[in-house]
Amino acid sequence: MPRFSIIVTVHDVAGRLPTTLDPVLAQSFADFELIAACAAPDSPAGALVAEYAERDPRVVRVTGAREAGLRAATGTYVLFLDAGDVLTPGALAGIDARLRAFGGAGSGSEDEVEIDILRLGHERVPWWEGEPVPELFEDRDPTDVRLPVWATVYRRAFLRDHGLAFPEGRCADLGWAGLVALADGETAVLDTVCVRRPERRQIGGGPTAGTRTGLPGTGLRPQADAGPLGAGPLGAGPLGAGSLGAGLLDQVELVLDRAAGQELPEDRARALFTQLFAEVLDLAATAPRDRAFFRRAGRLYRRFRPAGHRATTVRARLLRRGAYTAFRALPALGRQAARARAYAGRSALRRRRALLYAWYLRRPLDENLAVFAAYWGRGYACNPAAIHRKARELAPHIRSVFLVKEKELPHMPGDVESVVIGSRRYWEVMARAKYTFNNVNFEHSVVKRPGSVHVQTHHGTPLKRMGVDQIEYRAVAAATGSFGKLMRRVDRWDFSLSSNAHSTEVWSGAYPSAFTHLEYGYPRNDRFYTAAPGEVAAIRERLGIPEDKVALLYAPTYRDYPRDVSAQFDLARFCAELGDEFVVLLRAHYFLDGDAGLRRAVADGRLIDVTSLRDTEDVCLASDALITDYSSIMFDYANLDRPIVTYADDWDVYRDTRGVYFDLLAEPPGHVARTQDELIRVLTSGEWADGRSAALRSAFRARFCEFDDGQAAERVVRRVLLGQPEEELPAPIPLRERLPAPAAAVARPRTPAH
């Protein structure tokens, strides 16, 4: 008979199973059996468990949930885990030592006292991979029924002798914990962290929901796979029969019915009642939408309230009285008070705008209105502009409006309807638009209305850390501000656009929410496949690029740390030492403005400053090669199948300060230079366009140009604005068959790219 039976509840989450199974099998204490309880043995997760069972005889697969695993258990002690939970290294050895030190079964002590319930130190790892939150027992009653089942060890004979079995229905963990508490077993604690649980961000609502709200509360915490109070993830739906609310009340009634048949001491009866109804009140306050749930909860409260128990909160007193209307109004009163305080602090102009926006929000959605914006209103650019152009072609019935700052109005195309951000028309179109497109987030005050559809187009493939992945990088996190506000903005997304599978994976982790991924490519990159050779020549002529020159686009990225650009990169020297064969197109950030070396290089005709041009795609088409450091422009430029040189003089600092998703120097799109002298040598020697450069670029394109084929904008318009199903969208063109626009100065035939 093994010392421990570790029962893992397996839902269809094959991707997270190794996270749980591998740490268990790697424990230094090996006297255990690992029982995987599979609800669907024919699922991918069930097949993975079968593979583990073939490799290790300690793994046993059973069909069902925790109760099935408990029936199959043969160990002296039982520990329950869910898929995704992690047993820390040395945990079983520490648990065994604690049991023996206390005098548990097998200790050999004459005064042996068997521990029936051992509470384990544990920690919840936030969904944004921030600092874990340890939960020990210095200030926590180990008999609290809200303590997690997945961080508790039970003596199997104790469970058997008391006939304890997992209750059926939702929130079964709470019912189980209550029944175990009533069995009055010998309880001890182990304050060492033995189990880590990665929390999943809980979102309610569908792809077009107006709000997506989790369920806060002491016990109703978001969890890895199943809610801590029962089988299945927690949602924010109705609380009626068959729902989370009904399941919770079923378990509360089960436990209190059992308690009523026992003569519990008054302090224990009051503690049990208080703990159970803390969960009921939390759920009722979070989603107070079901009168039947509230009435039943009130009846249970009055029926089981222990003698002498006093309601110490307003919510509890209203529940006891059955005052549903007042209970439901309570959160609204709090919100109104908060809004009143905020309103009083606003300027008169802001108050008028808020009132205006609130009035527009009362009007119905305009089913044929679409709003587009890019880079916080900095003009007609990027993916939103490309989708806007295609929408006017394929969906002319949609009124398409582009949002810009007032100073950008003179630069907008004459045939594009423009609205100034912050104006009266701005608040009207934002309130009434059925569709909204942006490559960044709209301001925090914008309301996501039910039935509206928001598409987040993004503006690059991520090399640097994004979203909540920035939390561990302090300088970047400080600049980002409130991650809670960020996630509330992310919750407005219905669709997220991806240009490759790498981006899809990053967006899923960096912005955990309920949006749907559109793996269609970036619409702004369509031009790299649709531009004709004559168009490329016209752009070069407009920019003043001589026909006999090789145009090198130099596009450095922004740094989140101090950097003396002029001292670290002598642009005038760089242009001079390249020779007459080259001309440099500078697309710089503002920190290069006014540089004396820059002015000399421009005066000598070796450099053309294209920083102010709004169409990055034109600049890319006009160039013959790209020089960049860590800018996401490299991923877009790779679509052109033209040489790319990476200048990585401060890679180590950038990587450690900003955080990155992969090692660019190990998987570059071409040659890498770590110093300016090395960069000049790569360019003047011809290495920049050699066979090795082509091979590196080919591998890079295969990974990061997966979905870009010139049809991205059409896919977005047909799916989002025209409502066409996936099978009717243009099929992706294989990479080897795509024909990117040819470079002008480097003569080569227009043949499929490899």
Side-chain angles (χ1 to χ4, degrees), residues 120-136 140 148 150-151 191 193-199 221 223:
L120 305 178
H122 53 280
E123 61 187 19
R124 303 174 191 267
V125 181
W127 49 264
W128 61 85
E129 296 183 0
E131 289 296 322
V133 181
E135 298 189 15
L136 305 178
R140 190 77 182 260
W150 46 266
D191 263 339
V193 172
C194 297
V195 183
R196 293 193 178 97
R197 164 156 289 200
E199 295 184 342
R221 302 189 183 200
Q223 298 301 339

Side-chain angles (χ1 to χ4, degrees), residues 4 50 54 61 118 130 200 231 269 278 282 389 419 436 454 461 488 495 500 539 568 584 635 676 703 747:
F4 297 105
E54 290 179 4
R61 186 175 71 158
L118 179 64
R200 296 182 69 195
D282 281 343
R389 286 190 291 267
V419 170
T436 54
H454 177 53
T461 292
R488 286 193 288 276
F495 296 106
N500 45 63
I539 297 171
Q568 292 177 279
V584 175
F635 302 100
Q676 187 168 344
R703 180 179 180 187

Side-chain angles (χ1 to χ4, degrees), residues 161-218:
D161 294 344
H162 287 82
L164 293 171
F166 269 92
E168 296 182 356
R170 303 195 68 175
C171 303
D173 281 21
L174 185 66
W176 164 266
L179 296 178
V180 169
L182 292 175
D184 198 21
E186 188 69 40
T187 302
V189 300
L190 173 60
D191 263 339
T192 304
V193 172
C194 297
V195 183
R196 293 193 178 97
R197 164 156 289 200
E199 295 184 342
R200 296 182 69 195
R201 188 166 182 262
Q202 290 295 319
I203 304 107
T208 58
T211 58
R212 299 181 174 93
T213 310
L215 293 178
T218 305

